[in-house]
Amino acid sequence: MRAQLARAQARIEELQASAETDFLLDILNRRGFERELVRSLSFIKRYQASGALIVLDVDRLKPINDAFGHAAGDEVLKTIVAAISDQVRASDVIGRLGGDEFAVLLWNLSETDARAKAAALEEAIDRLTFVFRGSQISAGASAGVAILTAHSDADRVLEEADRAMYVRKAQRRHESSG
């Protein structure tokens, strides 16, 4: 009976992990990331720690999927996650909020450092190039930042970072057309 219970408990943990993981990219999905964000905000409130949330939106993923298929889009996403991982510390948390939108939870850094990290993430993703059917393609990304404080609320900081990302996306479009 005890062995059966242990197996059932292990299976429950396995199912919970899969429910919070993006199977394609092996990072947290939105559900897992939001749980981690809430947990982190509790820690920040309790210990007066600091942190930042960066929301990244990948540019041109839909045209890549349309022109070259979803396998090509998946390859772009995997490469982007690897580029993000190279730019952050092991203690930071990466999640996929949806299709082409990612979030990064960063610990113990100033607002200036958080904005510099957002710019570094954009640059790292902008530098990536892909070759599909003989065509060289780049994706790019726009990043928005929200600073986490003892007064932050998970939904509000996600909205704030998302709004900042859309402002940045508009800026980047303007810069590239100007």
Side-chain angles (χ1 to χ4, degrees):
M1 187 71 150
R2 194 170 284 153
Q4 229 176 349
L5 185 60
R7 277 195 304 275
Q9 191 62 46
R11 183 69 181 134
I12 288 168
E13 286 170 16
E14 194 180 295
L15 289 169
Q16 281 175 326
S18 70
E20 294 187 347
T21 302
D22 183 284
F23 71 95
L24 173 70
L25 303 172
D26 198 29
I27 57 174
L28 292 174
N29 63 16
R30 181 178 205 105
R31 178 181 176 178
F33 188 83
E34 286 180 353
R35 179 189 47 75
E36 194 61 33
L37 179 60
V38 167
R39 208 172 66 84
S40 299
L41 287 170
S42 295
F43 182 89
I44 286 168
K45 282 181 178 86
R46 179 163 186 179
Y47 297 105
Q48 280 74 51
S50 63
L53 172 66
I54 298 175
V55 170
L56 287 153
D57 188 73
V58 176
D59 302 326
R60 300 183 291 281
L61 187 64
K62 187 180 180 339
I64 291 169
N65 279 335
D66 291 349
F68 303 102
H70 286 275
D74 290 351
E75 203 51 48
V76 169
L77 291 174
K78 287 176 186 173
T79 305
I80 286 171
V81 168
I84 294 169
S85 297
D86 287 346
Q87 293 283 325
V88 299
R89 302 163 293 189
S91 59
D92 298 328
V93 179
I94 304 169
R96 184 179 186 187
L97 299 181
D100 59 358
E101 197 168 84
F102 295 89
V104 184
L105 183 59
L106 303 159
W107 285 100
N108 295 326
L109 75 175
S110 68
E111 183 170 353
T112 304
D113 290 342
R115 296 197 184 288
K117 180 55 70 179
L121 288 169
E122 281 183 355
E123 285 174 31
I125 295 167
D126 288 349
R127 279 195 306 265
L128 299 174
T129 55
F130 306 88
V131 178
F132 299 116
R133 290 190 221 129
S135 298
Q136 189 167 327
I137 289 145
S138 63
S142 301
V145 178
I147 302 306
L148 307 179
T149 69
H151 308 291
S152 294
D153 160 84
D155 291 334
R156 275 203 292 274
V157 293
L158 274 165
E159 285 172 21
E160 184 186 333
D162 212 41
R163 270 196 312 274
M165 179 272 297
Y166 279 108
V167 167
R168 179 68 183 132
K169 199 173 214 31
Q171 261 179 341
R172 284 171 59 96
R173 257 198 305 269
H174 180 73
E175 287 166 7
S176 67
S177 68

